[in-house]
């Protein structure tokens, strides 16, 4: 929980306790699902099956989003309207809400006394300006578009699209450089390695100035690792493109943000270097590439 949470933890705990005393598992499922919430796969250490079930729905809530918070209040209204609470229990629940700046109207509606501003749209990485140096950037733009659609709500799709962004960038740049490869069988490790060698961004490439410094070489080695890490994350079933062997337990937006941010860093550097008229690759001898563009 953070200070920005619209429904504070004491209120959430109060209603979690209330649900364990006055609801069945079926009713808990009904209350949350009726208001558009899905059961989270995140494990918890709550005692009791009903408390644990309630908590799994809570773990799918964005507590800083006014739209989510208002739907949770509807769940609370449903619980208070179940007809199983005594007058004293209803009075205590209303008092608990009032202590935290909520009001309960005579018709049972719960609202916040504070103003909940609409949640700003989460920013997504934008295509770099150096994209203009390409003859046909359509594959890269398509990947950015898929990332923008997936990032708020679908972390698996965002991770898969982040991997595709690296692949699209590498294929486009290699096509511009006239490097042949079989599009049906080529693997991402070869694409990443060959692209970095072509642009003298590989840690084994000798280049004048800062591009050949040990510090930059270490960064470039890490950049290769970023791309390979994305492939492994997707292949382990946490991104689209490979069906997971088991449910994607614990996959959250932060993992998607990490994957997308990493892919964007790689894409930005490759495209900026390709567009740079003073980049070492323009005057240096061609870099040695791996022997085969396949598996």
């Amino acid at each position: 929980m953070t200070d920005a949470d619209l429904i504070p933890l004491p209120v959430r705990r109060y209603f979690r306790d209330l649900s364990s005393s006055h609801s069945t598992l079926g009713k808990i499922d009904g209350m949350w699902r009726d208001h558009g919430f899905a059961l989270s796969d995140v494990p918890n250490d709550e005692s009791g099956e009903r408390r644990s079930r309630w908590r799994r729905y809570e773990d799918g809530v964005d507590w800083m989003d006014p739209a989510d918070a208002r739907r949770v209040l509807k769940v609370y209204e449903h619980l208070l309207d179940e007809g199983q609470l005594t007058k004293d229990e209803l009075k205590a629940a209303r008092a608990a809400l009032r202590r935290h700046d909520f009001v309960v109207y005579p018709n049972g509606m719960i609202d916040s006394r504070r103003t909940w501003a609409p949640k700003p749209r989460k920013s997504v990485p934008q295509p770099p300006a150096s994209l203009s140096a390409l003859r046909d950037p359509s594959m890269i733009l398509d990947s950015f578009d898929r990332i923008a659609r997936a990032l708020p709500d679908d972390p698996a799709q965002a991770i898969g699209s982040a991997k595709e962004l690296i692949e699209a960038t590498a294929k486009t740049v290699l096509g511009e450089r006239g490097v042949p490869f079989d599009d049906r069988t080529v693997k991402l490790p070869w694409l990443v390695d060959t692209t970095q060698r072509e642009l003298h961004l590989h840690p084994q490439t000798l280049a004048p100035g800062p591009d050949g410094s040990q510090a930059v070489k270490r960064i470039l080695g890490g950049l290769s690792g970023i791309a390979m890490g994305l492939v492994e994350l997707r292949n382990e079933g946490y991104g689209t493109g490979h069906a997971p062997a088991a449910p994607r337990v614990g996959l959250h937006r932060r993992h998607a943000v990490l994957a997308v941010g990493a892919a964007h860093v790689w894409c930005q550097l490759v495209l900026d270097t390709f567009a740079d008229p003073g980049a070492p690759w323009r005057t240096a001898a061609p870099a040695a590439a791996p022997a085969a563009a396949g598996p």
Side-chain angles (χ1 to χ4, degrees), residues 116-188:
W116 287 352
K119 189 175 183 181
R121 177 178 171 83
K122 297 180 177 75
S123 60
V124 296
Q126 299 300 309
S130 51
L131 205 69
S132 60
L134 301 170
R135 289 190 297 262
D136 182 7
S138 58
M139 283 199 303
I140 299 172
L141 290 171
D142 284 347
S143 295
F144 273 104
D145 185 54
R146 284 194 292 274
I147 286 170
R149 293 198 305 268
L151 192 54
D153 305 306
D154 192 343
Q157 179 61 59
I159 290 170
S161 297
K163 178 262 181 187
E164 291 169 6
L165 174 60
I166 290 181
E167 184 174 6
T169 302
K171 286 182 176 180
T172 301
V173 169
L174 291 177
E176 295 269 356
R177 297 285 293 134
V179 177
F181 57 87
D182 186 339
D183 193 48
R184 297 168 300 175
T185 60
V186 68
K187 300 297 185 182
L188 189 61

Side-chain angles (χ1 to χ4, degrees), residues 77-118:
E77 291 171 13
H78 195 153
L79 179 60
L80 296 184
D81 194 40
E82 280 289 285
Q84 299 184 41
L85 276 65
T86 66
K87 289 183 178 180
D88 287 343
E89 287 172 331
L90 284 170
K91 184 178 179 180
R94 290 169 181 152
L97 287 163
R98 285 196 297 270
R99 282 195 297 273
H100 293 278
D101 292 325
F102 292 93
V103 59
V104 183
Y105 294 103
N107 64 358
M109 177 183 170
I110 304 170
D111 200 4
S112 174
R113 295 184 186 276
R114 296 174 292 160
T115 300
W116 287 352

